[in-house]
Amino acid sequence: MTAADIPDRYDPRAIQEKWQLRWDAMDTFRASDDPADTRPRTYLLDMFPYPSGDLHMGHAEAYALGDAMARYFVQRGHNVLHPIGWDAFGLPAENAAIRNNSHPADWTYRNIETQAASFRQYAVSFDWSRRLHTCDPEYYRWTQWLFLRFYERGLAYRKDGYVNWCPIDQTVLANEQVIAGKCERCGAEVVRRVLTQWYFKITEYADRLLADMAALEGKWPDRVLLMQRNWIGRSEGAEVSFEIEGRDVPVTVFTTRPDTLYGATFFVVAADSPLAAELCTPSERAVLDAYLADVRKLTDIERQSAEREKTGVFLGRHAVNPVNGERIPVWAADYVLPDYGTGAIMAVPAHDQRDLDFARKFGLPVRVVVDTGGPDPEQTGVATPGEGTLVNSGPLDGLSKADAIARITEILTGKGLGRGAVSYRLRDWLVSRQRFWGAPIPVVYCDGCGEVAVPDEQLPVLLPDLRGQELAPKGVSPLAAAADWVNTQCPKCGGPAKRDTDTMDTFVDSSWYFLRYCSPRFEHGPFEVEAVRRWCPIDLYVGGVEHAILHLLYSRFFVKVLHDMQMLDFTKPFTALVNQGQVINHGKAMSKSLGNGVDLGVQLAEHGVDAIRLTMIFASPPEDDIDWADMRPEALVRFLGRVVRVAAEVAAAGTAGGRAADGDLELRRVTHKTVDEVTRLVESTRLNVAVARLMELVSAARRAIDGGPGAGDPAVREAAEALTVMLSLFAPYTAEECWEVLGHEPSVARAGWPAADPALLVEDMVTCIVQVDGKVRDRLEVAAAISGDELRELALAAPGVDRALAGRAVRTVVVRPPKLVNVVSQ
RNA sequence: GGGGCCGUAGCCCAACGGCAGAGGCACAAGUUUUAGGUACUUGACAGUGUGGGUUCGAAUCCCACCGGCCCCA
């Protein structure tokens, strides 16, 4: 190569096309399942995408991050599993199919191919041989199989439950699809409706899911752990039994404040609970029914809102306070939810704001039983939930809140009227969906045998071939209309039976996909136990914070169940987690309605893949949001151009074969220090800083070429090569091109991570800061190995110190060799 | 209402309790160029949201307040 070959322009398109073709033939990133392969194994997982269209800016950030980490471990010589698949069931496909009179699979697989092509262009280091789609029968067969295992263990069960129902679209909506009480698609007022639904008994694992998080401390983002803890919502308190007049069996309520039991002046049951219907006296029936019609229009969130005015109706009946025998009225209200605890509470208006609001609205008594020193809640309308001394509470009088809780729990336990108890906010997971494009629930209903599980050998229960208008909402799952499909034989008695027409929540599909990747074609189970043992748990999981609660919680639940089934030898699926931030534009999330969307394809075409990947990485710490309006991808294009020129000039100087040790020492120090720092930065996922270090190395190499020993110096080649390998994590095309220019065989992806020579990291001389009273007054060039005493003497003799002291005496001297001395004056 | 995170040059961001500036953008000047652009070099710009406290020393730790974001109500 000669000087004439040095490119004066960086042309990303040309090198992208060139290397895409060559990489396709190389299969560089296939993970090895060979047991004889002794390289350390690393399982690096990116959250799989939903195929909603082509990849977008958010994907570009997430996969740039995950890919950099995966490529790092490859460079370190690990056997890396970095798979990809698609979370491919879900409602958008169904809506598209209705619109286009087609099958949801058409839209889904078309989008998957589009995204797969974009991933290829984006140069993500996936092991494509393990690709999976959750909507493939080979996959959802095992989703169904897992459902049946849960069913066998009593972890999948059916009960009547409330769902959000859109009367226009005639379908059930997820909570997230209900915006301010209205259907997000048609704007109709959503109503609550009782349907018989399948649930997973995740509450049985609440304590274990909570306990596990201690071990994830420091490995998962704090905010995710916090969100999960809040979501599980453990609270300690007591269960208290209340006799209800005219009812044989007492009703148990859970309270976190059993100490306030003497202040319970009324009793509230959820208006829409079976208990309310049961307790309602005939004379109040009409009132309750009228009230219920209103209640059913509300979402849980609205019902619990503190701002909303309290509503409720008296049920014409009384409960008895177990500690003082007092008759207290039983009310039905919507601020108590039917599926939380027992659907009933004891109301202590003096010390609970919602109870107080309710009491004031309906003229119910307020009795202070904890003297907090605050003003009377009945007068102020402000409840006093804080610490204080018990009053008006018989044996509890004079006790503190904590002592009273202990004492009353003891008393209740002794009398068989209650006991200490723990309650969780977490509810069982409703998995039924009245939708087509999901995994059918593998259960049939037989007139003779009742609910019957589909036998394993009949799996998968394939979706019928419905398309277009057949998928339009009709009030029941679209599957119900497929008579040929619904009507089947009972696996037990052979008689006529009907299939369950609901499909599973797509979160079920994604709760175990990471296990399938270990043996994606395995035909005798959801995964091969040995393969999972080899790869799992996942070393690093990369994905959006939007999955901080549900997906991560469900996956943890699945892994625990599978562990209990002795199919897994670990209980925590994701050892470490990184949540990348969002890509926003002008301060707001990109959205069609705001018209602030940025098209990834346009960005890639304009600046090239590598510059966009680098822009994403360099923008900010991975967990922070990136405001695209603040980004200048052309700056990274420029940077890549500088890298290419350095490599080309080194190549043109024809230095191959020179010993690095003979090279310019100053540049060598910079190179090795950069390697050392970048290594640490990548391992702690501080990739934005790592890129900044690479920029410095390029500048150092540039200076060495222009104003130092020149491009022919072996140290410059050493710098260029180390730079190229490190850059390959972020800008694989440019790095590959440079690697070839520097005279190496592809692929740079496997070149091996450079090693920093410790001898080049130690500095002989360092600058010591000399402070007087904490302010910098002088600096000294000293030997790095200088002793404290020696440094103290030098510092006290420094002219700047003398000047700053201005004759004052020295009180003490803080010496931190070799970098700092602080002289403290009187 | 409870809990958490974050406020550093015009902008994006660095800084084991120890020189506030690593890097980038934008800006200015210079070299190259017929010019522009490119490339290269150089420069200027903040004292860390506000007020206290701890410390020899605080952007960093603690408290309060202001502003923004998130989770739970």
Side-chain angles (χ1 to χ4, degrees):
Chain A
M1 180 174 276
T2 69
D5 297 323
I6 294 167
D8 61 345
R9 208 170 70 86
Y10 166 65
D11 181 3
R13 273 155 230 79
I15 61 174
Q16 281 171 214
E17 279 163 33
K18 167 180 169 187
W19 288 108
Q20 260 169 35
L21 289 171
R22 294 179 54 178
W23 285 340
D24 285 345
M26 292 171 67
D27 200 13
T28 308
F29 300 107
R30 186 186 287 262
S32 164
D33 271 314
D34 181 357
D37 191 328
T38 57
R39 292 175 296 167
R41 290 192 193 88
T42 297
Y43 186 174
L44 197 139
L45 184 63
D46 292 301
M47 287 184 187
F48 64 169
Y50 179 78
S52 56
D54 201 351
L55 299 181
H56 53 63
M57 297 298 283
H59 292 121
E61 186 195 5
Y63 292 98
L65 170 58
D67 195 45
M69 298 309 294
R71 285 175 179 272
Y72 172 71
F73 288 109
V74 170
Q75 293 287 19
R76 297 302 303 241
H78 290 212
N79 182 8
V80 173
L81 174 55
H82 185 211
I84 185 65
W86 277 267
D87 187 14
F89 272 138
L91 195 56
E94 216 163 314
N95 292 337
I98 295 167
R99 261 197 323 273
N100 308 327
N101 194 29
S102 62
H103 194 280
D106 298 345
W107 182 89
T108 302
Y109 286 106
R110 195 170 58 239
N111 286 342
I112 287 175
E113 289 314 320
T114 301
Q115 293 193 346
S118 294
F119 274 134
R120 173 174 168 269
Q121 185 200 20
Y122 204 59
V124 190
S125 65
F126 292 133
D127 176 351
W128 285 98
S129 72
R130 292 168 192 262
R131 171 173 174 174
L132 59 80
H133 317 124
T134 59
C135 63
D136 288 346
E138 311 79 85
Y139 184 89
Y140 72 74
R141 170 186 182 183
W142 299 111
T143 305
Q144 292 171 336
W145 186 92
L146 287 164
F147 177 95
L148 293 174
R149 299 292 86 73
F150 277 46
Y151 181 65
E152 285 165 4
R153 302 176 70 84
L155 293 170
Y157 67 96
R158 228 159 50 116
K159 73 168 182 191
D160 293 342
Y162 283 91
V163 295
N164 301 306
W165 180 263
C166 173
I168 301 295
D169 288 348
Q170 292 280 295
T171 186
V172 163
L173 301 174
N175 278 335
E176 309 80 64
Q177 294 175 301
V178 181
I179 311 297
K182 296 190 168 28
C183 172
E184 69 165 355
R185 280 180 293 156
C186 70
E189 214 160 272
V190 171
V191 298
R192 289 167 64 81
R193 184 168 160 174
V194 175
L195 284 179
T196 305
Q197 307 272 288
W198 284 95
Y199 290 81
F200 282 165
K201 206 182 272 179
I202 191 171
T203 52
E204 196 167 304
Y205 284 74
D207 52 347
R208 288 168 64 190
L209 290 167
L210 196 61
D212 261 5
M213 282 189 285
L216 301 173
E217 216 70 66
K219 297 284 206 164
W220 282 33
D222 289 342
R223 60 174 168 166
V224 174
L225 294 175
L226 185 73
M227 280 191 255
Q228 294 232 340
R229 286 193 176 105
N230 285 343
W231 190 260
I232 295 170
R234 183 182 198 274
S235 52
E236 288 185 23
E239 284 175 1
V240 186
S241 295
F242 281 74
E243 297 286 345
I244 309 283
E245 289 177 359
R247 191 179 199 259
D248 296 336
V249 186
V251 173
T252 300
V253 303
F254 175 82
T255 174
T256 56
R257 295 295 304 276
D259 57 311
T260 62
L261 186 49
Y262 284 84
T265 54
F266 58 103
F267 195 89
V268 186
V269 297
D272 47 347
S273 64
L275 190 60
E278 183 206 317
L279 295 182
C280 186
T281 55
S283 59
E284 307 300 327
R285 179 72 55 192
V287 180
L288 177 63
D289 287 346
Y291 179 52
L292 270 176
D294 291 337
V295 170
R296 295 213 167 109
K297 290 178 185 159
L298 301 172
T299 64
D300 283 5
I301 291 163
E302 290 169 320
R303 289 175 63 159
Q304 293 178 91
S305 162
E307 279 83 55
R308 227 180 90 255
E309 186 157 349
K310 291 288 177 288
T311 59
V313 295
F314 178 51
L315 292 179
R317 201 188 279 267
H318 288 77
V320 179
N321 188 324
V323 286
N324 57 14
E326 195 172 12
R327 292 180 76 231
I328 56 175
V330 177
W331 285 68
D334 60 14
Y335 77 96
V336 175
L337 298 178
D339 43 3
Y340 186 55
T342 53
I345 62 155
M346 65 178 215
V348 184
H351 308 296
D352 181 280
Q353 190 61 48
R354 289 167 306 170
D355 295 347
L356 181 61
D357 293 343
F358 194 84
R360 284 163 62 92
K361 172 86 185 280
F362 294 104
L364 295 162
V366 179
R367 184 188 307 142
V368 172
V369 291
V370 181
D371 180 6
T372 61
D376 183 3
E378 190 161 19
Q379 303 301 320
T380 60
V382 179
T384 54
E387 301 288 332
T389 307
L390 273 283
V391 294
N392 299 324
S393 295
L396 305 181
D397 283 352
L399 296 179
S400 69
K401 175 176 158 181
D403 289 346
I405 289 173
R407 181 76 190 110
I408 189 70
T409 305
E410 219 174 274
I411 292 172
L412 290 168
T413 308
K415 293 184 176 171
L417 294 171
R419 59 187 182 86
V422 171
S423 174
Y424 294 94
R425 210 191 70 89
L426 184 68
R427 321 289 176 82
D428 276 342
W429 173 12
L430 197 170
V431 297
S432 302
R433 295 291 182 270
Q434 291 70 43
R435 293 174 184 168
F436 172 76
W437 194 230
I441 291 175
V443 174
V444 303
Y445 304 99
C446 164
D447 286 341
C449 311
E451 183 179 290
V452 180
V454 173
D456 290 355
E457 59 274 15
Q458 290 181 22
L459 298 181
V461 176
L462 289 170
L463 283 166
D465 187 33
L466 300 185
R467 53 186 59 239
Q469 284 306 307
E470 294 171 312
L471 300 170
K474 295 176 191 67
V476 286
S477 167
L479 290 175
D484 290 354
W485 183 85
V486 172
N487 292 305
T488 184
Q489 269 195 341
C490 172
K492 241 186 212 166
C493 70
K498 288 185 186 299
R499 294 194 184 279
D500 194 307
T501 57
D502 288 347
T503 53
M504 281 183 252
D505 180 4
T506 55
F507 274 114
V508 179
D509 310 327
S510 57
S511 291
W512 70 281
Y513 76 107
F514 46 90
L515 302 170
R516 185 73 182 164
Y517 280 138
C518 299
S519 51
R521 311 288 166 248
F522 190 58
E523 290 183 356
H524 310 291
F527 51 85
E528 191 184 348
V529 169
E530 272 314 305
V532 169
R533 188 158 297 175
R534 243 187 327 268
W535 292 108
C536 287
I538 286 143
D539 297 284
L540 180 62
Y541 196 22
V542 178
V545 74
E546 66 273 16
H547 292 116
I549 299 179
L550 296 183
H551 164 60
L552 293 170
L553 189 69
Y554 294 153
S555 297
R556 296 206 295 130
F557 166 58
F558 259 62
V559 162
K560 287 203 187 305
V561 174
L562 287 163
H563 176 263
D564 289 353
M565 289 167 61
Q566 277 147 34
M567 289 182 68
L568 299 177
D569 61 353
F570 58 93
T571 58
K572 296 183 277 294
F574 314 119
T575 304
L577 174 71
V578 174
N579 282 136
Q580 86 281 357
Q582 279 188 290
V583 184
I584 61 176
N585 196 16
H586 292 289
K588 297 211 169 63
M590 295 184 196
S591 76
K592 279 207 180 91
S593 55
L594 286 174
N596 65 341
V598 176
D599 186 274
L600 175 61
V602 170
Q603 295 295 314
L604 293 175
E606 195 168 331
H607 306 289
V609 169
D610 284 350
I612 294 303
R613 288 175 57 130
L614 265 177
T615 302
M616 293 288 182
I617 295 292
F618 183 56
S620 66
E623 58 275 14
D624 288 3
D625 286 350
I626 295 173
D627 194 331
W628 198 251
D630 295 331
M631 295 303 121
R632 295 275 92 90
E634 56 272 24
L636 284 303
V637 174
R638 219 140 55 203
F639 166 68
L640 290 168
R642 300 183 83 199
V643 174
V644 170
R645 278 189 300 277
V646 166
E649 287 172 48
V650 167
T655 55
R659 286 177 51 230
D662 299 332
D664 179 69
L665 189 60
E666 196 183 336
L667 179 60
R668 293 204 74 209
R669 283 188 195 282
V670 174
T671 300
H672 285 260
K673 191 156 177 282
T674 303
V675 168
D676 182 58
E677 287 185 16
V678 169
T679 303
R680 279 203 299 267
L681 290 165
V682 170
E683 292 199 348
S684 50
T685 62
R686 290 155 68 208
L687 304 183
N688 54 325
V689 188
V691 173
R693 294 289 170 271
L694 296 184
M695 289 174 171
E696 290 175 68
L697 182 55
V698 173
S699 294
R702 181 81 261 155
R703 275 194 303 275
I705 292 172
D706 292 342
D713 191 282
V716 178
R717 167 164 283 272
E718 181 184 44
E721 291 183 347
L723 171 70
T724 298
V725 175
M726 291 189 283
L727 186 68
S728 74
L729 310 192
F730 313 111
Y733 288 112
T734 308
E736 195 75 275
E737 182 69 17
C738 289
W739 197 239
E740 187 187 56
V741 165
L742 288 166
H744 299 286
E745 294 292 314
S747 166
V748 68
R750 289 194 175 281
W753 192 250
D757 180 352
L760 290 168
L761 298 178
V762 295
E763 299 178 45
D764 304 334
M765 299 296 285
V766 295
T767 303
C768 175
I769 300 306
V770 184
Q771 301 176 333
V772 175
D773 295 328
K775 293 190 179 57
V776 180
R777 296 302 186 190
D778 212 332
R779 49 198 74 206
L780 301 166
E781 289 302 312
V782 300
I786 193 167
S787 75
D789 288 342
E790 206 177 335
L791 186 58
R792 171 198 301 261
E793 294 313 313
L794 279 174
L796 287 172
V801 171
D802 220 36
R803 222 175 300 129
L805 280 176
R808 281 169 300 164
V810 172
R811 183 156 58 119
T812 180
V813 183
V814 179
V815 187
R816 297 276 181 276
K819 289 269 181 75
L820 179 117
V821 177
N822 188 11
V823 179
V824 184
S825 71
Q826 286 291 359

